[in-house]
């Protein structure tokens, strides 16, 4: 996704300010140490301690900028989903007995331009993605809810009674490095919630073309064309 958002801008400003303050604080501390140990140079008692404390506070600003930059990079790998957004076009074709080959062509606003392809086994299948939700009190900083398509799932029956441990899963799009790092530390970020959501189940047909939308917490698919339609009705995973 192109452009620089608010969080990235704030992170850059805070980081630059932190670098400047730390450089200034280090210089002032070095001068105080030099004066303390230079014979005849003017020195006031406690100056080194004062300058060291100031440098530590300035390092906090630099660390804050680094944290904001880390969160901004991780967030950039997710498509904003505060409202209904188009994710891309899905083409599904029967590829064998109870198998479907799925090809997803992302929308230009989706954070990845790579065409995704995967095969999943089952009498019905669905799309699963990861959704991130930030605390509303931090939205002014540029934190925004988002999603990223991750998996296909398949179930061997059409009744909707398949046990969770019997559902097949196929990776459609691995997480980029920044997003993966964000996920690895998510349990330490109290204002971030991550959850997996899915579309409704789709029957295996000869050919099916759909437009996939993210609708906040979940996915909705609009069928554009379909052939060889199964008689079973889709059910929610």
């Amino acid at each position: 996704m192109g452009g620089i958002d608010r969080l990235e801008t704030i992170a850059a400003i805070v980081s630059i300010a932190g670098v400047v303050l730390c450089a200034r604080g280090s210089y002032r501390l070095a001068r105080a140490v030099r004066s303390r140990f230079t014979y005849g140079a003017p020195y006031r008692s406690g100056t080194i301690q004062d300058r060291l404390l100031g440098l530590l506070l300035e390092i906090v600003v630099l660390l804050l900028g680094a944290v904001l930059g880390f969160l901004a990079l991780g967030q950039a790998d997710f498509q904003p989903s505060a409202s209904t957004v188009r994710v891309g076009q899905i083409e599904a074709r029967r590829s064998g007995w109870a198998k479907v080959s799925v090809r997803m062509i992302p929308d230009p606003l989706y954070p990845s331009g790579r065409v995704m392809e995967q095969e999943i086994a089952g009498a019905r299948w669905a799309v699963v993605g990861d959704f991130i939700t930030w605390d509303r009190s931090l939205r002014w900083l540029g934190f925004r809810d988002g999603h990223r398509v991750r998996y296909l799932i398949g179930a061997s029956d059409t009744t909707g009674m398949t046990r969770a441990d019997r559902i097949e899963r196929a990776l459609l799009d691995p997480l980029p490095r920044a997003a993966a790092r964000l996920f690895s530390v998510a349990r330490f970020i109290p204002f971030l919630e991550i959850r997996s959501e899915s579309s409704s189940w789709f029957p295996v047909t000869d050919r099916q073309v759909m437009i996939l939308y993210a609708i906040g917490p979940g996915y909705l698919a609009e069928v554009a064309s379909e052939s060889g339609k199964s008689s079973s009705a889709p059910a929610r995973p």
Side-chain angles (χ1 to χ4, degrees), residues 41-70:
Y43 175 77
R44 183 171 58 85
S45 178
T47 299
I48 292 179
Q49 292 86 336
D50 290 343
R51 298 287 167 80
L52 180 59
L53 177 61
L55 178 59
L56 292 176
L57 294 176
E58 290 157 354
I59 290 175
V60 171
V61 176
L62 180 59
L63 291 176
L64 177 60
V67 169
L68 290 175
F70 168 76

Side-chain angles (χ1 to χ4, degrees), residues 68-78 132 134 178-183:
L68 290 175
F70 168 76
L71 297 178
L73 287 175
Q75 175 179 266
D77 288 327
F78 293 84
I132 58 173
W134 302 95
R181 289 178 177 172
L182 177 64
F183 273 41

Side-chain angles (χ1 to χ4, degrees), residues 142-204:
F143 289 100
R144 49 176 174 71
D145 297 345
H147 83 96
R148 191 178 183 99
V149 173
R150 297 295 317 288
Y151 300 96
L152 298 176
I153 55 174
S156 59
D157 66 81
T158 59
T159 63
M161 302 298 291
T162 307
R163 290 181 2 218
D165 60 348
R166 300 297 299 274
I167 291 179
E168 298 287 334
R169 175 176 295 227
L171 181 63
L172 188 62
D173 186 25
L175 278 177
R177 182 176 301 177
R181 289 178 177 172
L182 177 64
F183 273 41
S184 68
V185 299
R187 62 184 181 277
F188 304 114
I189 307 177
F191 49 88
L192 170 63
E193 179 186 354
I194 298 175
R195 63 187 185 277
S196 293
E197 299 287 350
S198 68
S199 67
S200 59
W201 288 109
F202 307 115
V204 175

Side-chain angles (χ1 to χ4, degrees), residues 72-222:
L73 287 175
Q75 175 179 266
D77 288 327
F78 293 84
Q79 183 181 25
S81 60
S83 59
T84 299
V85 293
R86 175 171 163 150
V87 179
Q89 177 178 293
I90 290 181
E91 300 175 0
R93 295 176 181 272
R94 189 191 302 273
S95 58
W97 176 255
K99 282 187 178 181
V100 61
S101 177
V102 178
R103 183 170 184 258
M104 177 177 150
I105 305 172
D107 189 78
L109 295 179
Y110 190 77
S112 171
R114 182 179 67 87
V115 175
M116 308 168 208
E117 295 185 75
Q118 188 57 272
E119 186 178 71
I120 188 71
R124 55 198 174 105
W125 61 279
V127 178
V128 179
D130 288 327
F131 286 74
I132 58 173
T133 304
W134 302 95
D135 190 278
R136 292 185 177 277
S137 63
L138 298 176
R139 300 290 173 83
W140 63 275
L141 283 172
F143 289 100
R144 49 176 174 71
D145 297 345
H147 83 96
R148 191 178 183 99
V149 173
R150 297 295 317 288
Y151 300 96
L152 298 176
I153 55 174
S156 59
D157 66 81
T158 59
T159 63
M161 302 298 291
T162 307
R163 290 181 2 218
D165 60 348
R166 300 297 299 274
I167 291 179
E168 298 287 334
R169 175 176 295 227
L171 181 63
L172 188 62
D173 186 25
L175 278 177
R177 182 176 301 177
R181 289 178 177 172
L182 177 64
F183 273 41
S184 68
V185 299
R187 62 184 181 277
F188 304 114
I189 307 177
F191 49 88
L192 170 63
E193 179 186 354
I194 298 175
R195 63 187 185 277
S196 293
E197 299 287 350
S198 68
S199 67
S200 59
W201 288 109
F202 307 115
V204 175
T205 62
D206 291 339
R207 182 178 182 273
Q208 197 173 37
V209 177
M210 298 175 287
I211 306 301
L212 185 68
Y213 296 90
I215 52 171
Y219 291 110
L220 174 68
E222 182 181 75

